[in-house]
Amino acid sequence: MSTAETRNVVLGFFDGLSTGRLEAALELLDEEFVWRVSGRPEYLPIAGTYGKEEVPALVAKVGAAMPDGIRMTVTGTTVEGDRAAVEAEVHGVSPAGKVYDNRNFFAVEVRDGRIRAVREYFDTIHTNEVLFDNVYADAVLDTAGEPGHVRD
């Protein structure tokens, strides 16, 4: 695929997601598609690996946490052959009135006109606190002095 074709597929996918056209986004996914959402599932409910059939459940989890929706705006792309790097800003307000304001990075692989893989990176602590009302920073910091814990 050309760089322009890869860019069109990737931007079409994110446009479908951000405008609520999930079926249009799903049509751009390869049957072997895998989406890896960063984080640890025991701390962040959306963290993990999702296949094509599981994407609607992932979208539903976010929708349940943010019933008024989120706005995702792609702010930059870098494409080389069948790989794309996508930067996005994501905004919303939780039912508790907390503002969600995050920056996401997506590493995307395209093959034969379909998205084969997405790896998503973002501020997992902010996401967990706003979308899922879970605050785990104190628990993590409490272990900072324990043997075997590496400090930055």
Side-chain angles (χ1 to χ4, degrees):
M1 282 186 73
S2 73
T3 296
E5 291 169 323
T6 297
R7 183 183 318 275
N8 288 338
V9 168
V10 170
L11 291 178
F13 173 71
F14 285 104
D15 181 63
L17 284 181
S18 64
T19 59
R21 295 178 302 112
L22 182 57
E23 288 303 318
L26 291 174
E27 288 176 11
L28 296 171
L29 302 181
D30 185 84
E31 291 306 314
E32 301 296 317
F33 172 79
V34 175
W35 190 333
R36 290 185 177 89
V37 179
S38 60
R40 295 176 57 181
E42 64 267 28
Y43 295 122
L44 182 64
I46 61 172
T49 302
Y50 299 84
K52 180 178 181 176
E53 315 79 38
E54 299 164 314
V55 172
L58 171 61
V59 171
K61 283 182 186 179
V62 174
M66 301 290 279
D68 289 332
I70 58 172
R71 291 178 321 280
M72 180 170 52
T73 304
V74 172
T75 58
T77 59
T78 302
V79 181
E80 183 175 314
D82 62 356
R83 299 172 68 87
V86 179
E87 295 174 278
E89 293 181 358
V90 183
H91 301 276
V93 179
S94 76
K98 293 181 181 180
V99 174
Y100 185 67
D101 181 12
N102 214 338
R103 304 298 175 270
N104 292 39
F105 176 83
F106 302 89
V108 183
E109 297 174 26
V110 177
R111 182 182 301 159
D112 299 324
R114 301 270 187 239
I115 296 175
R116 178 87 168 162
V118 172
R119 290 180 307 282
E120 180 178 4
Y121 305 93
F122 53 96
D123 182 344
T124 57
I125 293 174
H126 176 65
T127 299
N128 201 29
E129 290 176 353
V130 176
L131 271 66
F132 304 104
D133 206 24
N134 294 326
V135 180
Y136 62 88
D138 291 338
V140 172
L141 292 174
D142 286 345
T143 65
E146 293 179 9
H149 181 80
V150 178
R151 294 190 130 170
D152 294 327

